[in-house]
Short mmCIF file of all heavy atoms in Angstrom, two decimals:
data_model
loop_
_atom_site.label_atom_id
_atom_site.label_comp_id
_atom_site.label_asym_id
_atom_site.label_seq_id
_atom_site.Cartn_x
_atom_site.Cartn_y
_atom_site.Cartn_z
N GLU Z 1 -64.95 -4.12 -16.01
CA GLU Z 1 -64.21 -2.85 -15.97
C GLU Z 1 -62.74 -3.03 -15.63
O GLU Z 1 -61.86 -2.33 -16.21
CB GLU Z 1 -64.87 -1.92 -14.93
CG GLU Z 1 -66.25 -1.47 -15.30
CD GLU Z 1 -66.90 -0.59 -14.24
OE1 GLU Z 1 -66.55 -0.75 -13.06
OE2 GLU Z 1 -67.70 0.28 -14.60
N ASP Z 2 -62.41 -3.93 -14.75
CA ASP Z 2 -61.04 -4.08 -14.25
C ASP Z 2 -60.20 -4.91 -15.22
O ASP Z 2 -60.54 -6.02 -15.59
CB ASP Z 2 -61.05 -4.74 -12.87
CG ASP Z 2 -59.66 -4.83 -12.28
OD1 ASP Z 2 -59.13 -3.78 -11.83
OD2 ASP Z 2 -59.10 -5.92 -12.29
N ALA Z 3 -59.05 -4.33 -15.65
CA ALA Z 3 -58.20 -5.00 -16.65
C ALA Z 3 -57.64 -6.32 -16.12
O ALA Z 3 -57.57 -7.31 -16.88
CB ALA Z 3 -57.06 -4.08 -17.05
N SER Z 4 -57.24 -6.36 -14.87
CA SER Z 4 -56.68 -7.61 -14.31
C SER Z 4 -57.76 -8.69 -14.25
O SER Z 4 -57.47 -9.88 -14.45
CB SER Z 4 -56.08 -7.36 -12.92
OG SER Z 4 -57.08 -6.93 -12.01
N GLN Z 5 -58.96 -8.27 -13.95
CA GLN Z 5 -60.08 -9.21 -13.93
C GLN Z 5 -60.34 -9.78 -15.33
O GLN Z 5 -60.60 -10.97 -15.53
CB GLN Z 5 -61.35 -8.56 -13.40
CG GLN Z 5 -62.48 -9.52 -13.14
CD GLN Z 5 -63.73 -8.81 -12.59
OE1 GLN Z 5 -63.70 -7.65 -12.26
NE2 GLN Z 5 -64.82 -9.56 -12.50
N ARG Z 6 -60.26 -8.92 -16.35
CA ARG Z 6 -60.44 -9.36 -17.75
C ARG Z 6 -59.39 -10.38 -18.09
O ARG Z 6 -59.69 -11.41 -18.78
CB ARG Z 6 -60.38 -8.16 -18.71
CG ARG Z 6 -61.59 -7.24 -18.63
CD ARG Z 6 -61.72 -6.40 -19.85
NE ARG Z 6 -60.60 -5.51 -20.03
CZ ARG Z 6 -60.49 -4.30 -19.49
NH1 ARG Z 6 -61.46 -3.85 -18.71
NH2 ARG Z 6 -59.45 -3.54 -19.77
N ASN Z 7 -58.16 -10.15 -17.67
CA ASN Z 7 -57.04 -11.11 -18.01
C ASN Z 7 -57.29 -12.47 -17.33
O ASN Z 7 -56.99 -13.51 -17.93
CB ASN Z 7 -55.72 -10.53 -17.54
CG ASN Z 7 -55.24 -9.38 -18.43
OD1 ASN Z 7 -55.55 -9.35 -19.63
ND2 ASN Z 7 -54.48 -8.47 -17.88
N SER Z 8 -57.83 -12.46 -16.13
CA SER Z 8 -58.07 -13.70 -15.43
C SER Z 8 -59.16 -14.53 -16.06
O SER Z 8 -59.32 -15.72 -15.84
CB SER Z 8 -58.42 -13.47 -13.95
OG SER Z 8 -59.68 -12.78 -13.81
N LEU Z 9 -60.01 -13.86 -16.89
CA LEU Z 9 -61.12 -14.54 -17.54
C LEU Z 9 -60.74 -15.17 -18.86
O LEU Z 9 -61.53 -15.93 -19.45
CB LEU Z 9 -62.28 -13.56 -17.75
CG LEU Z 9 -63.05 -13.13 -16.46
CD1 LEU Z 9 -63.97 -11.95 -16.79
CD2 LEU Z 9 -63.85 -14.30 -15.91
N ARG Z 10 -59.58 -14.81 -19.39
CA ARG Z 10 -59.16 -15.31 -20.69
C ARG Z 10 -58.77 -16.78 -20.60
O ARG Z 10 -58.06 -17.18 -19.67
CB ARG Z 10 -57.97 -14.48 -21.24
CG ARG Z 10 -58.31 -13.03 -21.46
CD ARG Z 10 -57.12 -12.24 -22.00
NE ARG Z 10 -57.33 -10.83 -21.90
CZ ARG Z 10 -58.08 -10.10 -22.73
NH1 ARG Z 10 -58.61 -10.69 -23.78
NH2 ARG Z 10 -58.17 -8.78 -22.57
N LEU Z 11 -59.23 -17.57 -21.54
CA LEU Z 11 -58.93 -19.00 -21.60
C LEU Z 11 -57.50 -19.25 -22.03
O LEU Z 11 -57.05 -18.63 -23.00
CB LEU Z 11 -59.92 -19.70 -22.53
CG LEU Z 11 -61.38 -19.69 -22.05
CD1 LEU Z 11 -62.33 -19.96 -23.22
CD2 LEU Z 11 -61.60 -20.75 -20.97
N THR Z 12 -56.81 -20.08 -21.38
CA THR Z 12 -55.42 -20.43 -21.74
C THR Z 12 -55.42 -21.41 -22.93
O THR Z 12 -56.44 -21.97 -23.29
CB THR Z 12 -54.70 -21.10 -20.55
OG1 THR Z 12 -55.34 -22.39 -20.28
CG2 THR Z 12 -54.77 -20.24 -19.28
N GLY Z 13 -54.25 -21.56 -23.49
CA GLY Z 13 -54.09 -22.50 -24.63
C GLY Z 13 -54.53 -23.92 -24.25
O GLY Z 13 -55.21 -24.57 -25.05
N ASP Z 14 -54.15 -24.38 -23.09
CA ASP Z 14 -54.51 -25.73 -22.66
C ASP Z 14 -56.03 -25.82 -22.46
O ASP Z 14 -56.62 -26.87 -22.81
CB ASP Z 14 -53.79 -26.10 -21.37
CG ASP Z 14 -52.30 -26.36 -21.54
OD1 ASP Z 14 -51.94 -26.62 -22.72
OD2 ASP Z 14 -51.55 -26.33 -20.59
N GLN Z 15 -56.63 -24.79 -21.90
CA GLN Z 15 -58.05 -24.81 -21.71
C GLN Z 15 -58.80 -24.82 -23.07
O GLN Z 15 -59.83 -25.50 -23.22
CB GLN Z 15 -58.52 -23.61 -20.88
CG GLN Z 15 -58.10 -23.73 -19.41
CD GLN Z 15 -58.28 -22.44 -18.63
OE1 GLN Z 15 -58.31 -21.37 -19.21
NE2 GLN Z 15 -58.46 -22.55 -17.32
N LEU Z 16 -58.29 -24.08 -24.03
CA LEU Z 16 -58.88 -24.06 -25.33
C LEU Z 16 -58.80 -25.45 -26.01
O LEU Z 16 -59.74 -25.89 -26.66
CB LEU Z 16 -58.24 -23.01 -26.23
CG LEU Z 16 -58.58 -21.56 -25.86
CD1 LEU Z 16 -57.68 -20.59 -26.66
CD2 LEU Z 16 -60.03 -21.24 -26.22
N LYS Z 17 -57.67 -26.12 -25.85
CA LYS Z 17 -57.51 -27.47 -26.42
C LYS Z 17 -58.53 -28.43 -25.77
O LYS Z 17 -59.14 -29.22 -26.47
CB LYS Z 17 -56.06 -27.96 -26.17
CG LYS Z 17 -55.03 -27.26 -27.00
CD LYS Z 17 -53.65 -27.79 -26.62
CE LYS Z 17 -52.54 -27.05 -27.44
NZ LYS Z 17 -51.19 -27.48 -27.06
N LYS Z 18 -58.66 -28.32 -24.45
CA LYS Z 18 -59.61 -29.17 -23.75
C LYS Z 18 -61.06 -28.87 -24.22
O LYS Z 18 -61.85 -29.79 -24.44
CB LYS Z 18 -59.51 -28.90 -22.24
CG LYS Z 18 -60.43 -29.79 -21.42
CD LYS Z 18 -60.26 -29.52 -19.90
CE LYS Z 18 -58.89 -30.00 -19.43
NZ LYS Z 18 -58.78 -29.86 -17.92
N LEU Z 19 -61.38 -27.57 -24.38
CA LEU Z 19 -62.70 -27.17 -24.83
C LEU Z 19 -62.99 -27.75 -26.22
O LEU Z 19 -64.09 -28.22 -26.48
CB LEU Z 19 -62.80 -25.66 -24.89
CG LEU Z 19 -63.33 -24.94 -23.67
CD1 LEU Z 19 -63.38 -23.45 -23.94
CD2 LEU Z 19 -64.70 -25.43 -23.26
N LYS Z 20 -62.00 -27.70 -27.09
CA LYS Z 20 -62.22 -28.17 -28.47
C LYS Z 20 -62.58 -29.66 -28.48
O LYS Z 20 -63.47 -30.12 -29.20
CB LYS Z 20 -61.05 -27.91 -29.37
CG LYS Z 20 -61.28 -28.19 -30.83
CD LYS Z 20 -60.15 -27.75 -31.72
CE LYS Z 20 -60.51 -27.87 -33.18
NZ LYS Z 20 -61.16 -29.12 -33.57
N ILE Z 21 -61.88 -30.41 -27.66
CA ILE Z 21 -62.17 -31.86 -27.57
C ILE Z 21 -63.59 -32.07 -27.04
O ILE Z 21 -64.32 -32.91 -27.54
CB ILE Z 21 -61.10 -32.52 -26.66
CG1 ILE Z 21 -59.73 -32.51 -27.34
CG2 ILE Z 21 -61.53 -33.98 -26.38
CD1 ILE Z 21 -58.59 -32.95 -26.43
N LEU Z 22 -63.94 -31.30 -26.02
CA LEU Z 22 -65.29 -31.41 -25.43
C LEU Z 22 -66.38 -31.12 -26.44
O LEU Z 22 -67.35 -31.84 -26.58
CB LEU Z 22 -65.44 -30.47 -24.25
CG LEU Z 22 -64.75 -30.82 -22.94
CD1 LEU Z 22 -64.95 -29.76 -21.91
CD2 LEU Z 22 -65.29 -32.17 -22.40
N PHE Z 23 -66.20 -30.00 -27.20
CA PHE Z 23 -67.24 -29.61 -28.11
C PHE Z 23 -67.26 -30.47 -29.37
O PHE Z 23 -68.29 -30.62 -30.03
CB PHE Z 23 -67.07 -28.11 -28.51
CG PHE Z 23 -67.64 -27.19 -27.45
CD1 PHE Z 23 -66.81 -26.53 -26.56
CD2 PHE Z 23 -69.03 -26.98 -27.35
CE1 PHE Z 23 -67.35 -25.67 -25.60
CE2 PHE Z 23 -69.57 -26.14 -26.43
CZ PHE Z 23 -68.72 -25.51 -25.51
N ASP Z 24 -66.14 -30.99 -29.76
CA ASP Z 24 -66.09 -31.87 -30.91
C ASP Z 24 -66.72 -33.24 -30.65
O ASP Z 24 -67.19 -33.90 -31.56
CB ASP Z 24 -64.64 -32.10 -31.39
CG ASP Z 24 -64.11 -30.87 -32.14
OD1 ASP Z 24 -64.91 -30.01 -32.50
OD2 ASP Z 24 -62.87 -30.85 -32.39
N HIS Z 25 -66.68 -33.67 -29.39
CA HIS Z 25 -67.14 -35.03 -29.07
C HIS Z 25 -68.30 -35.07 -28.08
O HIS Z 25 -69.46 -35.36 -28.41
CB HIS Z 25 -65.96 -35.85 -28.54
CG HIS Z 25 -64.84 -35.92 -29.52
ND1 HIS Z 25 -64.86 -36.70 -30.63
CD2 HIS Z 25 -63.61 -35.28 -29.58
CE1 HIS Z 25 -63.76 -36.57 -31.35
NE2 HIS Z 25 -62.99 -35.72 -30.70
N GLN Z 26 -68.05 -34.77 -26.81
CA GLN Z 26 -69.06 -34.95 -25.78
C GLN Z 26 -70.23 -33.97 -25.83
O GLN Z 26 -71.36 -34.32 -25.57
CB GLN Z 26 -68.42 -34.90 -24.38
CG GLN Z 26 -67.51 -36.09 -24.08
CD GLN Z 26 -66.70 -35.91 -22.84
OE1 GLN Z 26 -65.66 -35.26 -22.83
NE2 GLN Z 26 -67.20 -36.42 -21.74
#
C-alpha cells in the first residue's frame, strides 16, 4: 500500500545486472 515502501522494493540497475549474471550462470 505504501508508495515509499514500493520504491524501496524496486531493484536497482546494479542489482539487475548482478541478477542477470546469477540467472545466466549459477
Side-chain angles (χ1 to χ4, degrees):
E1 294 179 330
D2 184 74
S4 61
Q5 187 179 354
R6 289 199 298 274
N7 287 331
S8 68
L9 289 168
R10 299 181 194 279
L11 293 160
T12 66
D14 288 341
Q15 288 170 335
L16 287 170
K17 289 177 183 177
K18 181 180 292 186
L19 268 181
K20 189 172 188 313
I21 293 171
L22 285 177
F23 279 102
D24 283 348
H25 301 286
Q26 291 170 277

